[in-house]
Amino acid sequence: MAYACISSLMQTLQQLLQSESSLICESPIQQKHVESSYQSLCSLQDFLEDTTNEANDIENLKILERKIKDVVYKAQDRVDSCLTNMILADNEDDREKACKFFNEELQQVETEFDSLRKEVMVIEFNKRGSKSTELAATTSVSSIEETTYVGMKKDYKAILNCLNAQTKELIVISLVGMGGIGKTTLARKVFDNSTIRDRFEKHAWVTISEQYNKRQMLLEVASSISGVNNQEMSNDELMVIVYRSLKGRRFLLVIDDLWSTDAWYQMRRIFQNDNNKSRIILTTRLKHVADYASSPDFPPHDVSFLSFKDSWKLFTKRLFRKDRCPPQLRKIGKHIIEQCQGLPLSIIVIAGLLGKIGVTHDNWKKIEENLKSFHGSVLEQCQAILSLSYNYLPPYLKACFLYIGGFPEDMEIRVSKMMGSWIAEQFIKATSDKRLEVVAEEYVQELMDRSLILGKTRKPNGRFKTCKIHDLLRQLCIREAQIENVVHFPYSDHVLIYSDDINDRRRVMIPFFIEDYFCDHPNQRSGRITTRSLIFMGAGRSYLVPEINHWPDSISEFKLLKVLDAREIGYDFSHVIPQLVHLRYVNARIQDPSSLAKLCNLQTIIIYSRINIVQLPAEIWTMSEIKHVGIEQMYMPNPVSIEEQQPLLLNNLQTLALDSSPFLAEILKRTPNVDKLKIRDANIHNEWSDFVDRLINLQRLEKLSITATKDNSPRILSSAFCAPNLKHLRLAETSLPWEDMAVLANLPNLEVLKADGLFTGTDWYLNEDFVFQKLKYLRIMRADDLEMWEAASDSFPMLEQLVLQHLEELEDIPQSFGEIMTLKLVQVKYCSPTVDDSARNILENQQSWGNCELQIIIVPSLQYL
């Protein structure tokens, strides 16, 4: 992947060119070689960005990209190897030798880049189309799911008839069809229908995937049905919870993406037939699985392909929304849609592609000609369409997209995790006017606009919290990523993909079930290892590695490693880390944090200690590249004890998560640009007032989370408390008086407030003088003694979501909430019956005012059942 490797090396060279860099040797000649190489890389990157991916040029462009990639990869290995020797040099003589060798290598790199740049300049493609203006109004993400329901009315009605059947027995309704035909979409439409849901007492959605995991299934069902999500419980305990929660209650359960009869046999015993009209909807690609699982009188339902009329309707809705397709594009557009053969996934992806390359006849003609060259089954044609959509991605998106294939199948991927990985891998191009996080978010949005990933759950502020990728697209990612040597997945879907070039794999994502990636292949690890990333995709599950006591030691041989994401292993990497001087990102268990002292390239530190509370090395305060710090069971060192003349500042630090300490206020004083701050065990050292007063200096702070110790000591929130840019606030166990809520009302940009055991007192009166001007999301949990709550409707003029949990003493919700016309959701869990009733009254009031979008979710308290 030429663009991604160029971006990575450019960031390394840019760091060397910084005036304060300690890595560059004191040599004008060396500086000149670095600058020349950097400029050549800029030219190559500009070329890749400006090259129009015309249909006739795709193969030629791929050949050229591979050549560029190979040259840049080798150059990157040379540069990083030299830097390793310089950093680890034990004395001045060794460092001088390393610098001399670095000069020689840089000169060779400069020559190769210059030759490559000249070659690129003379390359002429057979055709060069001009870039067309992109479609001004691409379909918004929020409309994607709505438009995919086109043409499913008959299927939808058939499922409803099964659900409404008069038989009292538990019915299993199977939806069967190939990948991408819309089985999950159809099941979701049924599951989300409020009229249908109201007929059932319990609801749950479980995704199985090809690799059936009984424990994960039990956790999902238990969480959906009973709210229990305890990872420590045994499978038997979870089964008891599921059984008791469903016993005697009418339930609706969706089991999505079932692949084997064995998996169904194990699951079926959990769901008892109580003859109360409970229903299970099951989706599968395999006819024999559907036949095996379906109830005798309800044969599997084959989800049908779309008719051409519905295919065209879906395409135009997805691409043009309410507008019509321009007349000059209808004929060629219909030819393109014919190639999709009625498969919804193909139609949506091709619409995303056509919307991005530009709505012109010439651009669409190129796509039509490409599709005409493919022949085969519907699945083969679909794969061709997906490949075409990938080929037409802009170069800056390709590596980001392929990287997504490493996340486990059917997993809801945390968007923040995905973006952080892209940044750590240096896939994101730095710009002078935007932070990398902002650019990464734009990349996510563009992939969603192209229908290559699908947004799932949202944060309270409306941004996407999680996303998913379709199985067929994930398979494309895995295939292309390994061809391009972007990422390797050693045991992808239980298929062993070892090769002789194991040392040259740039990035390796290791699934949770691998036990022998390192153990079985020591003979293949002779010579230089060029791997830059090791990521253990445990999905929250610990690795079961018999040789856990030795094999992680071999990671010290990965001298060029930049990313180590090994939190799931639980192994102490303290004695391995010091050799990995190129690390930019580390997420692992570190018992001895002093091992980080030499890692001057670190940008992200997410580490924890299991045994004792330890301290980060003093060198942390000199690591100017640090942007993200998340530590558990360890302290940041006291900067005051380290400072000499000039104050130590971490000006680039953006996110900080840590346990409180006696010198927390001093730490905050020296991290002025933090925008996300998380403090645990606040006030354990009686430092509450000191650090709260320091928060006023964090002018960029947008997200703040404080969890206090449960000691019930009196705390106050000063009326002088000010955080002008704070948008998201979570306070837990702080035991503040309800009167301090008035201080929070003065925060001018607050949009999300989560109060978890935050306040104490029986009465909360919010008069008209205190208004949460921009608050959209309010959550109040575990206010154990709150009985009376009064508020005016003007107190929350922009509120969209109200979430109340574990308020069993509260009498009711203020009826003034019935007048807040922006309200979209009221969720009440484990509160008193009178609170449940007041939520229903609010719904009635809202509907009388014409707000038919308000959704009420009520989960009764167990003590009142």
Side-chain angles (χ1 to χ4, degrees):
M1 192 60 55
Y3 191 93
C5 64
I6 289 173
S7 176
S8 177
L9 183 52
M10 283 178 67
Q11 291 184 43
T12 299
L13 297 181
Q14 194 172 36
Q15 186 178 348
L16 291 176
L17 291 171
Q18 293 173 355
S19 58
E20 67 271 16
S21 175
S22 60
L23 296 179
I24 196 88
C25 301
E26 295 179 3
S27 166
I29 297 177
Q30 190 179 92
Q31 184 93 2
K32 172 182 170 296
H33 292 326
V34 174
E35 289 176 353
S36 176
S37 298
Y38 183 82
Q39 291 304 320
S40 294
L41 288 173
C42 286
S43 299
L44 291 172
Q45 195 172 54
D46 290 341
F47 169 79
L48 291 174
E49 287 179 345
D50 295 338
T51 301
T52 303
N53 291 359
E54 295 192 7
N56 293 342
D57 295 332
I58 287 178
E59 290 307 316
N60 289 331
L61 182 62
K62 280 186 174 182
I63 294 170
L64 177 60
E65 280 191 333
R66 289 194 184 106
K67 182 172 183 179
I68 294 173
K69 179 193 67 179
D70 291 342
V71 172
V72 175
Y73 269 165
K74 290 176 182 177
Q76 188 177 38
D77 293 343
R78 286 176 171 177
V79 170
D80 287 348
S81 295
C82 289
L83 292 175
T84 301
N85 295 333
M86 289 163 59
I87 295 171
L88 294 178
D90 292 329
N91 53 61
E92 195 58 37
D93 287 343
D94 288 346
R95 178 173 168 79
E96 189 174 331
K97 290 178 183 177
C99 282
K100 183 179 179 181
F101 184 63
F102 190 26
N103 273 335
E104 296 171 359
E105 290 287 73
L106 277 176
Q107 188 173 358
Q108 183 66 29
V109 166
E110 180 186 8
T111 302
E112 291 176 357
F113 281 174
D114 189 56
S115 174
L116 186 61
R117 182 174 57 84
K118 290 177 181 177
E119 182 179 346
V120 164
M121 289 175 63
V122 299
I123 289 178
E124 291 184 5
F125 290 94
N126 294 328
K127 287 184 180 180
R128 279 204 175 277
S130 60
K131 288 187 176 180
S132 304
T133 304
E134 290 190 350
L135 182 64
T138 55
T139 306
S140 64
V141 174
S142 60
S143 66
I144 290 176
E145 292 193 33
E146 178 185 347
T147 57
T148 54
Y149 293 139
V150 170
M152 291 185 170
K153 289 182 179 178
K154 290 183 179 179
D155 295 313
Y156 183 65
K157 189 174 181 180
I159 305 307
L160 290 187
N161 289 339
C162 294
L163 289 175
N164 295 329
Q166 293 304 306
T167 178
K168 292 184 177 181
E169 290 188 354
L170 171 63
I171 296 176
V172 179
I173 306 158
S174 296
L175 309 182
V176 64
M178 68 171 289
I181 202 168
K183 303 181 297 297
T184 301
T185 300
L186 179 59
R188 176 61 69 180
K189 181 173 175 63
V190 173
F191 186 76
D192 287 344
N193 186 303
S194 58
T195 304
I196 294 172
R197 289 177 67 92
D198 288 345
R199 300 176 188 172
F200 299 90
E201 298 172 77
K202 297 288 183 178
H203 319 84
W205 181 290
V206 185
T207 302
I208 301 302
S209 302
E210 190 167 359
Q211 307 305 328
Y212 171 66
N213 185 299
K214 180 179 180 181
R215 177 165 183 78
Q216 193 64 28
M217 180 274 295
L218 287 171
L219 283 168
E220 287 190 35
V221 176
S223 177
S224 299
I225 291 175
S226 65
V228 174
N229 189 14
N230 188 341
Q231 298 280 346
E232 303 301 321
M233 285 186 172
S234 67
N235 286 0
D236 289 342
E237 289 172 324
L238 289 169
M239 288 181 67
V240 169
I241 287 176
V242 172
Y243 178 82
R244 289 178 177 174
S245 298
L246 295 180
K247 184 62 179 174
R249 294 185 174 90
R250 184 185 298 178
F251 63 84
L252 174 62
L253 174 67
V254 174
I255 300 173
D256 188 31
D257 203 15
L258 188 68
W259 283 79
S260 75
T261 55
D262 288 342
W264 175 244
Y265 177 75
Q266 293 183 49
M267 295 178 65
R268 180 64 180 83
R269 295 175 297 169
I270 303 172
F271 310 114
Q272 300 299 312
N273 179 17
D274 289 327
N275 292 311
N276 58 1
K277 294 188 176 181
S278 291
R279 303 291 185 256
I280 295 176
I281 300 175
L282 180 151
T283 75
T284 180
R285 300 182 192 183
L286 307 176
K287 186 67 164 61
H288 74 276
V289 174
D291 290 335
Y292 181 82
S294 296
S295 297
D297 296 331
F298 297 87
H301 179 81
D302 290 296
V303 180
S304 53
F305 291 97
L306 297 181
S307 65
F308 178 77
K309 179 180 179 181
D310 286 330
S311 296
W312 180 249
K313 185 177 180 181
L314 173 59
F315 171 74
T316 53
K317 273 194 172 186
R318 177 67 183 93
L319 186 55
F320 300 106
R321 291 193 283 191
K322 295 182 180 179
D323 297 331
R324 292 179 176 273
C325 177
Q328 69 273 20
L329 295 176
R330 285 179 193 163
K331 183 176 180 180
I332 193 170
K334 289 183 177 181
H335 286 167
I336 291 172
I337 295 307
E338 283 177 353
Q339 304 301 315
C340 296
Q341 301 185 52
L343 191 67
L345 177 64
S346 296
I347 296 167
I348 291 172
V349 170
I350 205 72
L353 169 60
L354 293 174
K356 283 296 180 182
I357 67 169
V359 185
T360 68
H361 188 275
D362 288 345
N363 285 338
W364 285 29
K365 186 68 177 176
K366 289 184 295 182
I367 302 300
E368 182 196 27
E369 290 173 354
N370 259 275
L371 292 178
K372 280 182 178 178
S373 65
F374 294 116
H375 301 282
S377 66
V378 177
L379 178 58
E380 291 168 335
Q381 188 73 6
C382 176
Q383 290 171 337
I385 289 170
L386 301 185
S387 295
L388 191 65
S389 187
Y390 164 72
N391 288 334
Y392 273 84
L393 277 176
Y396 58 83
L397 278 181
K398 285 185 175 179
C400 295
F401 174 61
L402 297 185
Y403 197 86
I404 300 173
F407 291 93
E409 183 184 3
D410 289 322
M411 177 184 182
E412 283 202 16
I413 305 164
R414 282 194 300 117
V415 172
S416 60
K417 169 70 173 178
M418 183 173 72
M419 294 194 305
S421 298
W422 291 347
I423 293 171
E425 300 288 359
Q426 298 177 304
F427 290 163
I428 309 299
K429 183 181 179 181
T431 61
S432 58
D433 58 337
K434 291 180 182 178
R435 285 170 46 175
L436 294 176
E437 290 75 14
V438 175
V439 178
E441 198 162 353
E442 292 174 354
Y443 287 8
V444 172
Q445 186 62 55
E446 189 165 354
L447 288 173
M448 287 184 178
D449 289 344
R450 291 171 178 269
S451 298
L452 295 178
I453 58 175
L454 177 66
K456 297 299 290 183
T457 60
R458 292 182 183 267
K459 298 178 181 178
N461 62 9
R463 293 179 178 176
F464 279 107
K465 182 178 182 179
T466 62
C467 65
K468 289 189 76 170
I469 183 170
H470 194 279
D471 292 351
L472 295 180
L473 284 165
R474 179 174 174 268
Q475 291 168 14
L476 169 68
C477 289
I478 292 172
R479 184 172 63 250
E480 291 291 335
Q482 298 188 143
I483 292 172
E484 296 292 339
N485 196 14
V486 176
V487 192
H488 282 266
F489 316 97
Y491 279 71
S492 174
D493 299 327
H494 282 297
V495 177
L496 186 61
I497 313 178
Y498 279 123
S499 65
D500 294 334
D501 61 345
I502 190 169
N503 287 357
D504 294 326
R505 295 177 176 179
R506 307 306 281 194
R507 301 169 189 87
V508 182
M509 285 186 171
I510 303 176
F512 72 94
F513 46 80
I514 290 185
E515 299 184 354
D516 58 0
Y517 181 73
F518 297 93
C519 305
D520 290 355
H521 301 274
N523 58 319
Q524 296 191 42
R525 297 204 168 277
S526 58
R528 186 174 63 179
I529 301 172
T530 62
T531 301
R532 293 310 200 277
S533 301
L534 284 176
I535 302 108
F536 295 83
M537 304 299 296
R541 289 163 282 190
S542 296
Y543 285 71
L544 303 175
V545 185
E547 296 82 0
I548 193 70
N549 291 324
H550 352 289
W551 69 257
D553 294 352
S554 64
I555 292 179
S556 62
E557 300 170 15
F558 289 63
K559 303 293 187 185
L560 306 184
L561 203 65
K562 293 189 176 184
V563 175
L564 176 61
D565 193 342
R567 189 180 189 87
E568 304 293 345
I569 295 178
Y571 175 82
D572 178 16
F573 283 90
S574 298
H575 65 290
V576 174
I577 286 286
Q579 301 297 313
L580 309 180
V581 295
H582 289 286
L583 275 182
R584 296 163 47 87
Y585 178 104
V586 58
N587 185 353
R589 176 187 166 206
I590 306 289
Q591 287 298 126
D592 180 12
S594 66
S595 59
L596 303 171
K598 281 193 173 184
L599 307 187
C600 56
N601 292 304
L602 276 175
Q603 293 189 1
T604 299
I605 300 176
I606 306 172
I607 57 177
Y608 69 99
S609 169
R610 272 190 181 169
I611 304 173
N612 301 313
I613 295 179
V614 293
Q615 183 169 285
L616 287 176
E619 287 82 357
I620 189 75
W621 287 105
T622 63
M623 294 182 181
S624 59
E625 298 294 318
I626 286 287
K627 294 182 178 180
H628 310 283
V629 173
I631 54 177
E632 296 178 37
Q633 286 192 282
M634 59 182 67
Y635 289 148
M636 287 274 284
N638 185 357
V640 176
S641 64
I642 304 167
E643 288 175 345
E644 294 179 358
Q645 294 180 347
Q646 296 295 324
L648 294 169
L649 297 173
L650 292 179
N651 286 321
N652 288 323
L653 192 66
Q654 298 170 13
T655 62
L656 177 60
L658 74 171
D659 298 318
S660 190
S661 68
F663 27 88
L664 179 58
E666 294 296 336
I667 292 171
L668 298 182
K669 180 180 178 181
R670 289 158 177 79
T671 54
N673 296 318
V674 164
D675 56 20
K676 295 179 182 178
L677 175 62
K678 183 177 183 179
I679 301 170
R680 295 179 296 270
D681 292 332
N683 209 42
I684 194 170
H685 304 284
N686 297 317
E687 76 289 358
W688 175 268
S689 59
D690 289 340
F691 86 77
V692 169
D693 290 343
R694 284 293 179 191
L695 293 175
I696 195 171
N697 297 324
L698 304 180
Q699 293 296 301
R700 296 188 179 184
L701 188 63
E702 294 187 0
K703 186 173 183 179
L704 173 63
S705 174
I706 301 176
T707 303
T709 54
K710 298 181 180 181
D711 56 8
N712 294 320
S713 59
R715 304 179 182 95
I716 61 170
L717 201 59
S718 169
S719 58
F721 174 71
C722 178
N725 291 306
L726 191 64
K727 296 180 179 179
H728 188 295
L729 175 62
R730 177 182 179 269
L731 298 174
E733 314 301 340
T734 50
S735 301
L736 296 168
W738 283 106
E739 290 77 11
D740 282 358
M741 187 66 96
V743 178
L744 303 182
N746 289 328
L747 297 173
N749 289 299
L750 190 64
E751 297 179 355
V752 177
L753 175 57
K754 298 178 180 179
D756 302 345
L758 167 58
F759 295 104
T760 60
T762 58
D763 301 330
W764 177 21
Y765 297 102
L766 198 60
N767 62 43
E768 297 177 354
D769 296 331
F770 300 106
V771 179
F772 289 84
Q773 295 287 357
K774 294 187 178 181
L775 195 69
K776 297 180 180 180
Y777 180 96
L778 174 61
R779 184 179 79 191
I780 302 175
M781 291 176 56
R782 300 192 313 277
D784 297 333
D785 48 0
L786 180 62
E787 299 175 3
M788 183 70 65
W789 178 15
E790 292 185 8
S793 59
D794 293 338
S795 299
F796 304 97
M798 302 295 291
L799 193 67
E800 296 179 0
Q801 298 183 55
L802 174 66
V803 178
L804 305 176
Q805 295 182 19
H806 296 285
L807 306 179
E808 295 183 346
E809 300 300 322
L810 182 63
E811 294 181 6
D812 56 23
I813 307 171
Q815 288 306 298
S816 58
F817 279 81
E819 302 171 14
I820 303 175
M821 297 311 295
T822 56
L823 205 58
K824 297 179 181 178
L825 172 69
V826 176
Q827 184 181 95
V828 177
K829 286 188 174 183
Y830 315 125
C831 296
S832 65
T834 54
V835 170
D836 297 350
D837 292 338
S838 62
R840 296 184 183 97
N841 292 336
I842 289 172
L843 177 62
E844 293 178 3
N845 290 340
Q846 289 275 335
Q847 289 176 339
S848 69
W849 284 95
N851 181 8
C852 298
E853 296 183 2
L854 177 62
Q855 182 182 7
I856 301 291
I857 298 175
I858 298 174
V859 179
S861 175
L862 297 177
Q863 75 177 67
Y864 296 107
L865 291 178

